C-alpha cells in the first residue's frame, strides 16, 4: 500500500459537482487558518517574507477579529503573539512593501484586539501580544522602530503608516491613562519625529494626525508624573510649528463650519442668491428642486445638527493645550493678528526688496483675516448648537481657551485696536438672532458675540452651570481689561444687557428646578450681577458715549421686577456651600450681601422719576423715548455706592479647577480622533 502523498493547497476550493469554482485569496486562506488555531508557517522557511509581500485585505482581517470571541482569541494566543513579533521584525527589513504591509497588519490586528472588552485592559492585551515576561523587550523595540520610520522612512507612505500605527497603539483605550503600553512612548518619546512631520512641506497632509498624537501623548498622566511631551510642548519656540498648528486649526474649523451651513444657509445674501437661482432654474426645468426644503439640504435639520461637528473637531484640544501651556504660542497668535491692519486684506508690494520678513514667512498674510477668526466662527456655530454631552466637551474647550486668551494683556490690546478690524461670520441659525455685524470690527466685539450666542441658546432647566461660569468669565475679563485701560468700545451693548438679564430672568423663573445645584446656580447669578455692577460703576471708562449709559440704565429699569425677585433668592446657599466662582473673585468681603444694592437703587430712583413725570403730565403710559429722556436728565440726584475690586478675578488654573473635567473631555477627544476623516 502506498503512503499518502502530501497535498499542496492550490488556492482553489473545489465545490460540489455542477457548482461554480470559487477562488480564495491567498491572504484570506492564510488568516483563515491562523484564526482556526493552525500555524501555516511550520516547515515554511519563507512563509513570513512571502506573507508580508501580500496585499493586506484589511476588510477581511477586521471581520475575523470582530467575529472572534475573547475566549477564542486567548485560545490562539500563540498565533497572535507570533504574528505580532513577526510584524515588528518585518518593519525592520529593507524591503519597503514588507514594512508597509507589516504596519498595516499591525494596525488592523491591534484595533481588533483593542475593541474587545477586557476586564483589565493593559494586563490582558500585553499578555496576549507578548506575554508579561517579554513586554519590556518587545514593546521598546516596537516604539524604537516606529520612531525611526517616522523620521527616516524612505518614502512618505512608510512615515505615514508608522504614524498611523503609533496612533492606534496610543489610542487603543479611550481612557489613555489606563493604557500601560503608552508608558513605552514616555520612556522613549517620539516628540522630535512628530515635530518634523508637522513642519515638513512633504508631510503636510500628515500634520493634523501628528499634532493630535503629540497632544494626546502630552495629556497622558500629565498631572500624576513627569510627561516629556508636555515639558517639550511648553518649551516650543519655533514659529513654524505655531503657524502649522494654526493653519491646521483654521482648515479644520472651516470644514466643520461648512457642515453646519450645508444643513441651513444662514447668510441673508446667500439665501437670496440661492432662492433666485432656484426660481430661475425652476422656471426652465419645472422638476428642478421639487420636494426640497428651501435653504436646507436635509429633511430633518435638527437631527443633522445634533450629529455635528465632525470628528476632526478634536483639534480643539490641541489648540486649548497650546494656549494653556505655551505663552509663546499666545504671543504668536497676538502677533499674527497684529500683522493685519485696515484694510484687512493682502497688501501687495511692487518692490520685492522691501517685502517684510513676516510677509515672507507667513502664508497667513495672503488671507483677509488671521487664522484665529476661523476658530471664532466655528465656535459660534458649535456653541449655539450645543445639545449633547459630546458638544458640551467641545464647548468647554472653546470657552476655557477664550478665558485664557482674554487674561493676556497683549492679546487684549490687539483685539481692541481700531486699526485691526475683521468681518467674521457668526451663526445665525437659531433665534434670537444677534445683530448681523457684516462689517469690519475689532475682534473683541466678535468674542463677546460668540459668548452671548452661547448664553442665549443654552437656557435649559438642566443648566450647564460650569459652561455659563466660563462664558461669564470671558465677558468679565474682557470688560475688566476695557475698564483698566479705559478702552472705549463701539459695540451693540444692548445685546449684552438683553442676554444677561434674560439669563437672570430664566434662573429666577426656574429656581425651584435648581435646588440640587443651588450653589453652582448661585455662582452664575453672582457672576452675571457682578458684570452689571462693573458696568454701572465703571461704564464711563469703556462705553463709547453717554447714550450707551442711558440705554444700559433703561434696560435695568425695564427689568425691575426681575431684580426684585432676585433680591429674595440671591446668595441663599446651603451652609458651607462655596459661593466664590472659579472664574472671578467677589467684589469685597461683604459683597455677597449687597450685590444688588446699586441695581435696586437705580430701579427705585428712576421708577419714582417716571411715576412723577406721568403724574405731572397726566399720562397713563409712557414711550421708550420719554423714559430715555427722564433717565438722561436725572443722573445728578442718583446716589450709588462704589464697590471695590469689581474687576478682580481668579486667574485660570487647570489643575485647581478643571483637571477632572478635562479628563472626561479627553476621552471624547480620543474617541473622535479614532473616527477622524483624513483627506
Amino acid at each position: 500500500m502506498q503512503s499518502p502523498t502530501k497535498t499542496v493547497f492550490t488556492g482553489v476550493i473545489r465545490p460540489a459537482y455542477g457548482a461554480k469554482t470559487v477562488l480564495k485569496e491567498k491572504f484570506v486562506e492564510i488568516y483563515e487558518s491562523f484564526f482556526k488555531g493552525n500555524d501555516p508557517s511550520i516547515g515554511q522557511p519563507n512563509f513570513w517574507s512571502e506573507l508580508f509581500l501580500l496585499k493586506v485585505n484589511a476588510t477581511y482581517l477586521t471581520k475575523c477579529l470582530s467575529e472572534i470571541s475573547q475566549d477564542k482569541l486567548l485560545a490562539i494566543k500563540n498565533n497572535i503573539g507570533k504574528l505580532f513579533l513577526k510584524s515588528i521584525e518585518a518593519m525592520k527589513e529593507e524591503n519597503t512593501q514588507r514594512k508597509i504591509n507589516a504596519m498595516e497588519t499591525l494596525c488592523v490586528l491591534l484595533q481588533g484586539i483593542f475593541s474587545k472588552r477586557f476586564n483589565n485592559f493593559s494586563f490582558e492585551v500585553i499578555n496576549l501580544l507578548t506575554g508579561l515576561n517579554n513586554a519590556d523587550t518587545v514593546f521598546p523595540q516596537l516604539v524604537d522602530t516606529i520612531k525611526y520610520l517616522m523620521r527616516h522612512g524612505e518614502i512618505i507612505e512608510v512615515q505615514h503608516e508608522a504614524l498611523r500605527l503609533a496612533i492606534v497603539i496610543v489610542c487603543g483605550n479611550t481612557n489613555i491613562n489606563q493604557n500601560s503600553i503608552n508608558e513605552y512612548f514616555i520612556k522613549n518619546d517620539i516628540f522630535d519625529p512628530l515635530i518634523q512631520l508637522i513642519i515638513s512641506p512633504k508631510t503636510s497632509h500628515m500634520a493634523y494626525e501628528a499634532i493630535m498624537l503629540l497632544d494626546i501623548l502630552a495629556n497622558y498622566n500629565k498631572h500624576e508624573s513627569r510627561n516629556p511631551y508636555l515639558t517639550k510642548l511648553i518649551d516650543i519656540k519655533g514659529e513654524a510649528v505655531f503657524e502649522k498648528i494654526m493653519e491646521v486649526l483654521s482648515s479644520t474649523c472651516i470644514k466643520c463650519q461648512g457642515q453646519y451651513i450645508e444643513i441651513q444657509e444662514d447668510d441673508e445674501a446667500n439665501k437670496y442668491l440661492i432662492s433666485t437661482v432656484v426660481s430661475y432654474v425652476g422656471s426652465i426645468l419645472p422638476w428642478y428642486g421639487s420636494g426640497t426644503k428651501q435653504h436646507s439640504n436635509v429633511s430633518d435639520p435638527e437631527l443633522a445638527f445634533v450629529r455635528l461637528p465632525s470628528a476632526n473637531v478634536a483639534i480643539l484640544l490641541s489648540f486649548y493645550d497650546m494656549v494653556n501651556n505655551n505663552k509663546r504660542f499666545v504671543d504668536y497668535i497676538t502677533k499674527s493678528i497684529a500683522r493685519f491692519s485696515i484694510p484687512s486684506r493682502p497688501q501687495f508690494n511692487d518692490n520685492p526688496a522691501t517685502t517684510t520678513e513676516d510677509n515672507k514667512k507667513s502664508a497667513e498674510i495672503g488671507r483677509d483675516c488671521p487664522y484665529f477668526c476661523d476658530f471664532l466662527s466655528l465656535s459660534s456655530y458649535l456653541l449655539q448648537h450645543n445639545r449633547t454631552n459630546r458638544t458640551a466637551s467641545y464647548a468647554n474647550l472653546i470657552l476655557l481657551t477664550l478665558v485664557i486668551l482674554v487674561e493676556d494683556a497683549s492679546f487684549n490690546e490687539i483685539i481692541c485696536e481700531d486699526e485691526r478690524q475683521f468681518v467674521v461670520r457668526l451663526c445665525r441659525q437659531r433665534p434670537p438672532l444677534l445683530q448681523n455685524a457684516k462689517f469690519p470690527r475689532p475682534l473683541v466685539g466678535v468674542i463677546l458675540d460668540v459668548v452671548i450666542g452661547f448664553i442665549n441658546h443654552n437656557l435649559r432647566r438642566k443648566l450647564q452651570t460650569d459652561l455659563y461660569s466660563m462664558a461669564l468669565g470671558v465677558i468679565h475679563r474682557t470688560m475688566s481689561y476695557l475698564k483698566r485701560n479705559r478702552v472705549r468700545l463701539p459695540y451693540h451693548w444692548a445685546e449684552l444687557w438683553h442676554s444677561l438679564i434674560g439669563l437672570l430672568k430664566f434662573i429666577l423663573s426656574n429656581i425651584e428646578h435648581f435646588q440640587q445645584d443651588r450653589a453652582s446656580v448661585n455662582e452664575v447669578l453672582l457672576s452675571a450681577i457682578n458684570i452689571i455692577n462693573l458696568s454701572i460703576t465703571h461704564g464711563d471708562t469703556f462705553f463709547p458715549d453717554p447714550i450707551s449709559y442711558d440705554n444700559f440704565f433703561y434696560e435695568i429699569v425695564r427689568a425691575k421686577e426681575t431684580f426684585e425677585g432676585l433680591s429674595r433668592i440671591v446668595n441663599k446657599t446651603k451652609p458651607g456651600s462655596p459661593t466664590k466662582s472659579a472664574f472671578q473673585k467677589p467684589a469685597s468681603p461683604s459683597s455677597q450681601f449687597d450685590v444688588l444694592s446699586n441695581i435696586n437703587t437705580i430701579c427705585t430712583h428712576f421708577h419714582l422719576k417716571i411715576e412723577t413725570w406721568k403724574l405731572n403730565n397726566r399720562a397713563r403710559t409712557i414711550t421708550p423715548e420719554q423714559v430715555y429722556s427722564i433717565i438722561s436728565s436725572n443722573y445728578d440726584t442718583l446716589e450709588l455706592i462704589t464697590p471695590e475690586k469689581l474687576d478682580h478675578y481668579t486667574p485660570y488654573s487647570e489643575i485647581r479647577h478643571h483637571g477632572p473635567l478635562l479628563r472626561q473631555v479627553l476621552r471624547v477627544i480620543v474617541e473622535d480622533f479614532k473616527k477622524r476623516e483624513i483627506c
Side-chain angles (χ1 to χ4, degrees):
M1 181 178 178
Q2 291 182 332
S3 60
T5 58
K6 183 177 180 180
T7 303
V8 179
F9 187 79
T10 62
V12 178
I13 298 177
R14 301 193 181 279
Y17 180 76
K20 292 183 179 180
T21 301
V22 179
L23 296 176
K24 181 174 287 189
E25 181 186 346
K26 190 172 183 180
F27 181 94
V28 172
E29 172 208 340
I30 291 171
Y31 278 94
E32 188 178 75
S33 180
F34 259 126
F35 284 102
K36 287 181 179 178
N38 303 320
D39 185 354
S41 69
I42 295 175
Q44 303 290 332
N46 298 321
F47 175 84
W48 296 103
S49 296
E50 293 175 0
L51 175 63
F52 291 119
L53 285 176
L54 296 177
K55 182 179 178 181
V56 178
N57 187 334
T59 303
Y60 175 77
L61 189 52
T62 300
K63 180 175 179 289
C64 289
L65 288 162
S66 64
E67 292 177 351
I68 193 171
S69 67
Q70 286 178 224
D71 291 340
K72 180 64 175 176
L73 198 61
L74 292 172
I76 60 169
K77 172 186 168 184
N78 291 339
N79 280 2
I80 297 295
K82 195 169 189 179
L83 177 60
F84 184 65
L85 290 172
K86 293 297 182 179
S87 297
I88 296 173
E89 290 176 11
M91 288 170 61
K92 303 175 186 178
E93 292 190 14
E94 292 184 5
N95 186 287
T96 300
Q97 195 57 51
R98 284 198 183 101
K99 291 177 186 176
I100 294 171
N101 289 343
M103 287 188 283
E104 187 175 354
T105 299
L106 281 177
C107 285
V108 178
L109 175 68
L110 293 175
Q111 284 174 328
I113 292 173
F114 292 153
S115 67
K116 304 301 180 184
R117 293 183 176 276
F118 295 108
N119 293 326
N120 187 331
F121 180 86
S122 296
F123 176 87
E124 295 188 57
V125 167
I126 292 173
N127 186 43
L128 179 63
L129 293 174
T130 65
L132 300 179
N133 294 332
N134 298 320
D136 288 342
T137 301
V138 177
F139 282 107
Q141 290 179 19
L142 175 59
V143 172
D144 201 51
T145 306
I146 289 173
K147 184 175 182 178
Y148 178 85
L149 294 179
M150 284 172 59
R151 171 171 278 180
H152 302 294
E154 58 269 35
I155 60 173
I156 298 299
E157 191 177 354
V158 170
Q159 292 177 288
H160 201 172
E161 283 299 326
L163 175 61
R164 274 192 64 220
L165 179 55
I167 292 170
V168 168
I169 296 170
V170 172
C171 300
N173 189 335
T174 301
N175 184 352
I176 61 166
N177 296 325
Q178 290 186 358
N179 184 358
S180 298
I181 300 175
N182 290 339
E183 284 293 336
Y184 298 103
F185 285 96
I186 297 297
K187 294 174 182 176
N188 183 12
D189 76 78
I190 57 174
F191 181 89
D192 291 339
L194 287 173
I195 292 295
Q196 179 181 305
L197 294 178
I198 291 169
I199 64 176
S200 173
K202 295 180 180 179
T203 55
S204 60
H205 62 291
M206 299 158 57
Y208 172 85
E209 292 173 294
I211 292 168
M212 284 300 305
L213 178 58
L214 172 58
D215 192 60
I216 289 170
L217 284 166
N219 276 277
Y220 175 72
N221 285 330
K222 63 180 179 180
H223 297 314
E224 288 74 30
S225 59
R226 180 185 174 278
N227 184 311
Y229 298 94
L230 181 59
T231 302
K232 293 180 180 181
L233 183 146
I234 293 170
D235 290 336
I236 294 176
K237 300 180 180 67
E239 290 198 356
V241 180
F242 297 154
E243 179 166 10
K244 194 63 184 182
I245 291 172
M246 290 304 296
E247 181 186 329
V248 171
L249 173 74
S250 168
S251 62
T252 305
C253 288
I254 290 171
K255 289 176 184 176
C256 291
Q257 178 217 44
Q259 291 166 344
Y260 286 100
I261 297 170
E262 284 177 8
I263 295 171
Q264 180 182 331
E265 174 59 65
D266 59 344
D267 184 278
E268 282 76 6
N270 290 345
K271 283 182 180 180
Y272 176 76
L273 178 62
I274 292 170
S275 178
T276 302
V277 171
V278 169
S279 298
Y280 174 72
V281 177
S283 66
I284 302 172
L285 304 172
W287 50 265
Y288 182 84
S290 61
T292 60
K293 188 173 182 178
Q294 193 175 10
H295 313 318
S296 177
N297 296 327
V298 296
S299 58
D300 188 347
E302 284 303 314
L303 180 60
F305 280 134
V306 168
R307 293 170 179 162
L308 295 181
S310 68
N312 285 33
V313 80
I315 193 69
L316 292 178
L317 176 68
S318 300
F319 186 51
Y320 160 79
D321 278 323
M322 287 298 297
V323 168
N324 186 43
N325 293 295
N326 193 311
K327 178 61 169 66
R328 296 183 193 90
F329 183 66
V330 176
D331 292 341
Y332 173 81
I333 296 172
T334 303
K335 189 168 82 170
S336 72
I337 298 171
R339 290 193 184 108
F340 293 82
S341 59
I342 296 176
S344 58
R345 53 179 56 88
Q347 301 298 299
F348 298 102
N349 194 334
D350 293 331
N351 183 2
T354 62
T355 303
T356 65
E357 191 63 26
D358 276 347
N359 286 0
K360 288 179 183 178
K361 290 181 179 179
S362 178
E364 193 172 17
I365 286 296
R367 295 163 43 94
D368 287 339
C369 60
Y371 292 135
F372 180 68
C373 292
D374 299 319
F375 164 74
L376 292 178
S377 185
L378 173 64
S379 297
S380 171
Y381 283 84
L382 194 152
L383 291 175
Q384 291 192 30
H385 290 285
N386 169 39
R387 293 294 182 271
T388 65
N389 291 334
R390 175 175 173 265
T391 53
S393 295
Y394 290 109
N396 269 293
L397 291 175
I398 289 169
L399 293 171
L400 288 178
T401 300
L402 291 175
V403 163
I404 299 164
L405 287 172
V406 297
E407 285 185 2
D408 187 271
S410 298
F411 177 82
N412 277 325
E413 180 181 355
I414 288 297
I415 65 172
C416 291
E417 286 184 349
D418 284 335
E419 292 76 17
R420 290 164 185 87
Q421 300 186 9
F422 309 96
V423 178
V424 179
R425 179 170 183 166
L426 300 182
C427 181
R428 293 177 58 78
Q429 295 174 326
R430 291 182 181 277
L433 303 179
L434 283 176
Q435 290 186 19
N436 194 5
K438 295 188 68 175
F439 52 83
R441 55 181 175 150
L443 288 180
V444 62
V446 178
I447 291 173
L448 289 174
D449 277 1
V450 168
V451 176
I452 289 173
F454 167 80
I455 293 173
N456 291 347
H457 294 94
N458 289 273
L459 294 172
R460 297 187 285 273
R461 285 185 175 178
K462 192 174 181 180
L463 197 67
Q464 295 168 304
T465 53
D466 53 342
L467 295 180
Y468 271 91
S469 290
M470 295 174 204
L472 294 170
V474 173
I475 297 172
H476 181 250
R477 283 159 172 74
T478 301
M479 295 177 70
S480 295
Y481 174 84
L482 297 176
K483 174 257 177 184
R484 292 170 189 170
N485 294 274
R486 307 187 74 83
V487 177
R488 295 192 178 278
L489 180 67
Y491 181 67
H492 39 249
W493 289 103
E495 298 287 357
L496 177 59
W497 315 137
H498 294 161
S499 183
L500 292 177
I501 292 172
L503 170 62
L504 296 175
K505 189 178 296 185
F506 176 82
I507 293 176
L508 178 63
S509 61
N510 291 278
I511 194 65
E512 296 304 320
H513 297 281
F514 300 139
Q515 295 304 318
Q516 298 300 318
D517 198 23
R518 190 63 179 272
S520 297
V521 170
N522 199 61
E523 284 186 4
V524 173
L525 286 173
L526 291 176
S527 297
I529 293 169
N530 193 47
I531 293 170
I532 294 173
N533 280 327
L534 175 64
S535 303
I536 291 171
T537 309
H538 302 291
D540 59 315
T541 63
F542 54 80
F543 286 153
D545 49 47
I547 296 176
S548 298
Y549 243 131
D550 297 344
N551 292 338
F552 178 37
F553 277 37
Y554 174 76
E555 296 299 338
I556 292 176
V557 173
R558 283 183 63 195
K560 181 175 181 290
E561 291 184 4
T562 298
F563 290 116
E564 288 176 347
L566 289 172
S567 297
R568 295 190 293 269
I569 66 167
V570 76
N571 300 312
K572 291 182 180 179
T573 55
K574 297 177 181 178
S577 297
T579 57
K580 186 171 72 172
S581 170
F583 289 93
Q584 62 188 63
K585 295 179 180 178
S588 66
S590 61
S591 65
Q592 69 181 83
F593 303 105
D594 61 10
V595 290
L596 290 168
S597 175
N598 278 344
I599 295 173
N600 289 332
T601 297
I602 291 169
C603 290
T604 302
H605 174 79
F606 288 109
H607 181 71
L608 289 174
K609 297 297 182 183
I610 291 169
E611 291 302 314
T612 301
W613 184 94
K614 288 166 64 177
L615 184 64
N616 293 338
N617 290 273
R618 297 180 179 180
R620 291 186 177 182
T621 59
I622 187 169
T623 66
E625 291 76 15
Q626 291 166 334
V627 174
Y628 278 120
S629 177
I630 293 169
I631 289 173
S632 63
S633 60
N634 284 280
Y635 285 120
D636 54 340
T637 55
L638 178 64
E639 295 183 1
L640 301 174
I641 61 173
T642 306
E644 297 178 354
K645 302 180 179 179
L646 287 171
D647 59 343
H648 283 215
Y649 54 80
T650 304
Y652 174 72
S653 170
E654 177 181 306
I655 299 176
R656 189 185 312 147
H657 298 299
H658 297 283
L661 168 68
L662 288 169
R663 278 194 285 272
Q664 293 297 321
V665 170
L666 181 60
R667 294 189 185 191
V668 174
I669 298 296
V670 172
E671 191 62 37
D672 269 358
F673 181 47
K674 291 193 286 188
K675 301 173 185 174
R676 66 195 179 281
E677 299 170 6
I678 302 300
C679 297

